[in-house]
Amino acid sequence: MRGFLAVFKRELLSLFVTPTAWALIVVFLLVSGFHFYALVVHFATNADLSVDHGPVQAFFGESILFYLPLVLLCPGMTMRLFAEERRSGTIETLLTAPVSTSAVVLGKYAAALVTYVAMWAPTILYVVVLRRAGEVDWHVVGTSYLGVVLIGAGYLAIGTLMSAMTSSQLVAIVLSSLVILSLFVMGVGEFIFDEGLAHDLAAHVSVWSQMGELSKGIVDLRRVVFDLTLVVAPLFVTVRAVDAWRWG
Amino acid sequence: MSRPTKRATSSTAVATKLSAATGVVAAMVLAVLANVAVSRHFRRWDLTSHGLYTLSPATVQTLHGLESRVSFDVLLPNADPLASTVRFLLDAYGAETDRLEVRYVDPDRHAAEFLAVQQRFGVEAGRTEDGQIVTDAAIVVSRVGGKPFFLTPGQLVDSGDGAEERARSKVEQAFTTAIRTVLDDERPAICFSTGHREKRLDDTGAAGLADLASRLRKNNYDAVPIDASRPDADKALAACRMLAIVGPTEPFGADEAARLRAWLVAGGNLLVMANPVPDPDRKALLPLGLDAVTSAGGVALDEDFVFELDGKRRLPGGFGEQYFAEPRPHDVTLALLGERNQDLKILFAASRSIGKTSAGSVVPTELLVTSERAFGMRDFFAWAEKSSGAPERGPDDRKGPLAVAMAAELPKPAGSTLPHGPRLVVVGSATPALGQSFSRDLRGGAVFVESAISWLVARPQLVDVPDKPAAAGVRIAEASIGEVARYVMLYMPGAAALLGLAVWLRRRATDERRPGAGTPGGLG
């Protein structure tokens, strides 16, 4: 645990003192801000007569502007976790320290996850703005942010694995983006395939449907389990990969 | 290093790699198995504040009590705002019973399948200007061997009043009602009187009732013609939820009228739509003999011919015998009121005015009226024979504004357990019920007639399935939009940029004070 906390603190500090993290946060807030503003204009000028559709539902998952930052920012946040250390040679220092491989991987991953959550945290102010203009179901807001965290956690785990597979940050970001984009595209198959195995498979991995449900206040065990496997499996492989450098 | 030691190291490395690979493969298999298992045995939680997708005990009880299979054919396009709500709720229904079959047929994507459903159930569809298919039935609920129950989008949502414009879900109520109805297999009969040269149900022309009959079937009613002049009409009437007398041109006999009145007072519901009928022999308008019936509700059919002289109401051409009637607030006219419904015009042609009788305790309510400039000409033949120029109001004529449709609710008969007494709607023209009123431009008339029939045959709501709350609404003034834009697109990213700059400057200053210091290294 001590080893984990040490790695976590070091990683968090290094993430926040680099201009990259702040640049990512600014870009993210610009994109999200524009997205939110567009929705506010829409809902202020159009009466939507759907029974369970409001600005919160629209913001969380009904537009590509929600998924774009997820697909692009998560790989950007994780690309340097291991690749940079391997390139600069600091990984040797880290691996010879009396810290278990799991603590190293989990510490780095947790730091990326906290940065990701910190990036989303200001968007709660959007909901406060909405609350001033109308009604907000805070339970639905809660499940929406649960979705944001679950999906982000999975994507960051994939990014962590890709960063551990290469010593080039560029290759890491490209690989992570490709895997995440493939998952996203697979999910879109839900709207293309007719009922059957392909449709069910696409529906199971569909991030679009997942956010559609969570942004309406529905928590489905299948989605939660899928997200958890998307976190656990890549992190497990990452641990084995780092172990392989350490002992192999 | 000696050869045996090298070999030993090499075999250890192979064993380590093999073990790592096995672990990775095992983890992947476990992950897949966990997902397969949970996809078969899963749970969903509705965490909305008001349990929007949580089924009421009445619905759960209905589903648990299902003894035969019930099918839902959902004909909503994927892009429809109701599609996800319907899907979520049907998932919840499916979790309670295995006797429910749900098929989703997107009319835009599965044209052939949609056509098959259309043929099977007689669903009508049209195309919007952008090519999207719209159906009058959004969902068809059916049981093998039973009659289908049609649900229209309007039955799934309560759009709220004009001021609020906040939608309220009625999906669960509609679904549970539909299931109970198909199991019941009862479809209320709406009877149409014949025998007095009334408008015909099988007439598909602009002056026929075929369109109305089709709409009624979609709304789960049977349109049944009955000859009210037959001596044994009582038996046929007993099976009618409502009787419609539309456009009669021959008078009802006194016996007939008395029979109809007795049926009405005893709990029947009656819709009378009667134009003035010229009698060339008498050179006067023909009394239809229905006053004896309508007077039970305090309503009288005036023997006059309405001319609308207000240029904003009357149709161009003619003398004002064709005009748009104005709705007055009542349950029947709710769908026609408000700014949103200004396009719904109710065309009247060759109409009579409707009055109140002085006797009786029932006070009828006006549903539709003319303008102040309209008048009801009593001596129609005198004007018609002159055939010269525009009609003018004479001293004997009725002065506008005139009521051209009225509704009344009679006292409940003794021992009645129904939620309301017998109901009566009397309209001074048959036009709103005719085929021409079902065209897009004149659909106000059709909406009025459908609303009147809904009110007449109203059944109590399923009180055991509670109303869902209205969707969360947002009202933002235009002036506030600029403020929101500044906050979310300028202040917030700007604050993050400044914070990042401050961190970077501080770090640079620290680095300068500690020459040789790099990125944070070491642990702790």
Side-chain angles (χ1 to χ4, degrees):
Chain A
M1 188 64 184
R2 233 183 100 233
F4 164 79
L5 279 178
V7 175
F8 172 69
K9 275 190 214 162
R10 169 186 176 274
E11 203 59 43
L12 202 59
L13 189 67
S14 70
L15 273 169
F16 275 100
V17 295
T18 56
T20 318
W22 291 101
L24 286 176
I25 289 175
V26 171
V27 170
F28 171 76
L29 286 177
L30 274 172
V31 173
S32 298
F34 172 74
H35 182 198
F36 176 76
Y37 170 71
L39 290 173
V40 166
V41 171
H42 171 79
F43 280 93
T45 50
N46 297 289
D48 195 320
L49 294 181
S50 168
V51 293
D52 56 1
H53 180 261
V56 172
Q57 288 78 14
F59 180 69
F60 290 102
E62 285 187 9
S63 148
I64 194 71
L65 288 176
F66 171 83
Y67 301 102
L68 209 59
L70 282 176
V71 173
L72 297 179
L73 292 187
C74 289
M77 290 168 68
T78 52
M79 64 182 180
R80 55 177 297 285
L81 287 182
F82 286 100
E84 173 62 14
E85 300 238 32
R86 281 178 78 184
R87 191 194 60 78
S88 63
T90 52
I91 193 76
E92 302 296 334
T93 322
L94 188 62
L95 295 182
T96 49
V99 182
S100 69
T101 310
S102 311
V104 171
V105 172
L106 290 180
K108 281 175 173 287
Y109 171 75
L113 188 60
V114 167
T115 312
Y116 172 80
V117 170
M119 217 167 71
W120 275 96
T123 60
I124 198 84
L125 290 177
Y126 300 165
V127 188
V128 174
V129 170
L130 281 182
R131 180 68 191 88
R132 282 176 58 189
E135 289 170 31
V136 166
D137 185 340
W138 288 101
H139 292 212
V140 169
V141 173
T143 54
S144 300
Y145 276 106
L146 174 71
V148 167
V149 173
L150 283 173
I151 291 169
Y155 287 0
L156 290 173
I158 290 170
T160 307
L161 171 63
M162 295 305 152
S163 180
M165 306 265 275
T166 172
S167 57
S168 161
Q169 289 193 47
L170 186 67
V171 175
I173 194 172
V174 169
L175 280 177
S176 317
S177 300
L178 278 178
V179 174
I180 291 169
L181 209 61
S182 305
L183 268 176
F184 185 80
V185 172
M186 259 180 85
V188 175
E190 176 189 17
F191 306 107
I192 298 166
F193 299 123
D194 289 335
E195 299 286 330
L197 185 65
H199 175 271
D200 292 349
L201 190 67
H204 191 76
V205 303
S206 171
V207 68
W208 203 284
S209 286
Q210 177 175 6
M211 280 314 297
E213 289 173 5
L214 286 166
S215 68
K216 289 188 167 74
I218 294 173
V219 178
D220 191 317
L221 187 62
R222 288 170 296 184
R223 309 284 187 196
V224 177
V225 169
F226 176 69
D227 286 332
L228 290 180
T229 51
L230 217 55
V231 173
V232 174
L235 288 183
F236 177 76
V237 179
T238 310
V239 171
R240 305 307 292 172
V242 176
D243 259 342
W245 315 331
R246 195 172 217 177
W247 312 116
Chain B
M1 200 181 281
S2 67
R3 190 169 288 180
T5 317
K6 264 187 187 171
R7 197 177 294 140
T9 311
S10 165
S11 69
T12 308
V14 169
T16 308
K17 282 178 184 168
L18 204 64
S19 153
T22 311
V24 168
V25 171
M28 294 301 149
V29 171
L30 209 63
V32 171
L33 286 178
N35 278 277
V36 170
V38 82
S39 70
R40 291 182 181 177
H41 309 283
F42 64 92
R43 282 201 68 185
R44 288 158 74 93
W45 295 274
D46 172 13
L47 298 186
T48 53
S49 300
H50 303 287
L52 204 58
Y53 309 103
T54 303
L55 302 182
S56 65
T59 296
V60 174
Q61 195 182 11
T62 302
L63 293 172
H64 287 180
L66 277 183
E67 288 179 358
S68 52
R69 298 191 77 79
V70 174
S71 299
F72 275 71
D73 285 278
V74 182
L75 308 177
L76 288 169
N78 268 339
D80 193 286
L82 280 170
S84 66
T85 314
V86 165
R87 200 175 275 267
F88 290 155
L89 216 58
L90 282 177
D91 280 352
Y93 272 60
E96 297 293 337
T97 178
D98 56 1
R99 292 179 187 269
L100 206 66
E101 277 176 21
V102 183
R103 287 181 291 271
Y104 295 95
V105 182
D106 184 338
D108 297 325
R109 286 183 58 208
H110 302 111
E113 210 177 327
F114 175 69
L115 197 65
V117 175
Q118 202 178 354
Q119 294 297 318
R120 188 148 43 103
F121 297 118
V123 175
E124 287 174 11
R127 274 188 188 274
T128 59
E129 283 171 7
D130 60 359
Q132 199 181 17
I133 293 178
V134 287
T135 67
D136 54 358
I139 296 162
V140 184
V141 186
S142 59
R143 181 169 65 90
V144 178
K147 289 182 179 177
F149 188 93
F150 299 94
L151 288 170
T152 61
Q155 289 171 286
L156 304 177
V157 182
D158 176 1
S159 302
D161 56 38
E164 271 285 303
E165 285 197 351
R166 287 173 62 199
R168 189 183 292 273
S169 172
K170 296 189 85 71
V171 181
E172 188 189 344
Q173 283 179 332
F175 283 3
T176 305
T177 305
I179 291 173
R180 289 179 187 177
T181 307
V182 295
L183 292 176
D184 238 11
D185 221 11
E186 185 228 6
R187 272 164 68 105
I190 292 186
C191 302
F192 285 78
S193 77
T194 60
H196 311 88
R197 296 182 60 200
E198 291 95 338
K199 300 293 179 187
R200 285 180 19 227
L201 281 172
D202 57 359
D203 183 349
T204 55
L209 297 176
D211 286 306
L212 176 61
S214 169
R215 291 294 306 174
L216 291 176
R217 279 191 284 273
K218 296 289 172 303
N219 283 295
N220 308 296
Y221 297 109
D222 281 333
V224 183
I226 65 161
D227 187 350
S229 62
R230 288 168 59 109
D232 60 349
D234 286 353
K235 282 183 190 169
L237 278 171
C240 301
R241 176 71 66 85
M242 187 201 102
L243 175 69
I245 302 171
V246 185
T249 51
E250 288 178 357
F252 283 66
D255 288 354
E256 245 181 295
R259 201 160 48 229
L260 288 177
R261 183 184 173 108
W263 171 78
L264 173 67
V265 172
N269 298 295
L270 181 64
L271 171 67
V272 177
M273 302 182 79
N275 301 71
V277 181
D279 181 352
D281 298 335
R282 287 175 52 234
K283 295 199 179 302
L285 296 174
L286 180 71
L288 289 171
L290 286 169
D291 275 326
V293 186
T294 59
S295 61
V299 182
L301 289 159
D302 291 331
E303 298 306 337
D304 60 6
F305 195 104
V306 174
F307 286 99
E308 175 60 82
L309 302 184
D310 187 336
K312 291 178 187 165
R313 299 277 188 83
R314 56 179 282 188
L315 255 57
F319 294 106
E321 68 275 23
Q322 291 192 87
Y323 60 93
F324 296 119
E326 184 190 331
R328 286 283 162 87
H330 187 274
D331 284 348
V332 170
T333 53
L334 274 183
L336 298 158
L337 296 166
E339 279 186 23
R340 267 191 301 164
N341 302 317
Q342 275 182 342
D343 291 343
L344 294 174
K345 306 283 189 198
I346 308 157
L347 179 69
F348 268 60
S351 62
R352 70 168 79 222
S353 64
I354 306 294
K356 295 177 183 176
T357 57
S358 49
S361 59
V362 182
V363 181
T365 311
E366 291 179 350
L367 298 178
L368 300 172
V369 295
T370 66
S371 77
E372 281 186 1
R373 296 185 57 196
F375 70 94
M377 183 184 278
R378 290 191 192 276
D379 195 352
F380 177 76
F381 272 87
W383 171 78
E385 282 179 353
K386 275 194 295 179
S387 64
S388 57
E392 287 176 6
R393 185 167 73 86
D396 294 336
D397 295 337
R398 296 186 69 214
K399 188 173 176 287
L402 301 168
V404 287
M406 282 197 188
E409 186 168 321
L410 282 63
K412 272 198 218 181
S416 169
T417 54
L418 293 170
H420 57 76
R423 287 177 167 177
L424 170 71
V425 171
V426 183
V427 187
S429 168
T431 316
L434 305 182
Q436 65 189 87
S437 291
F438 286 78
S439 69
R440 180 179 289 190
D441 295 335
L442 297 174
R443 67 194 175 95
V447 170
F448 169 73
V449 172
E450 286 174 30
S451 299
I453 291 173
S454 294
W455 182 74
L456 286 164
V457 300
R459 279 183 292 187
Q461 284 280 324
L462 283 171
V463 288
D464 47 352
V465 179
D467 279 341
K468 298 290 183 189
V474 170
R475 287 183 182 280
I476 297 175
E478 266 187 54
S480 306
I481 292 178
E483 196 184 343
V484 171
R486 279 194 298 280
Y487 267 101
V488 302
M489 293 202 295
L490 191 65
Y491 299 158
M492 284 171 65
L498 286 176
L499 201 60
L501 190 67
V503 170
W504 180 72
L505 288 174
R506 187 177 158 78
R507 184 195 166 207
R508 210 174 66 158
T510 314
D511 287 352
E512 279 170 4
R513 278 200 299 273
R514 289 189 299 138
T519 29
L523 299 177

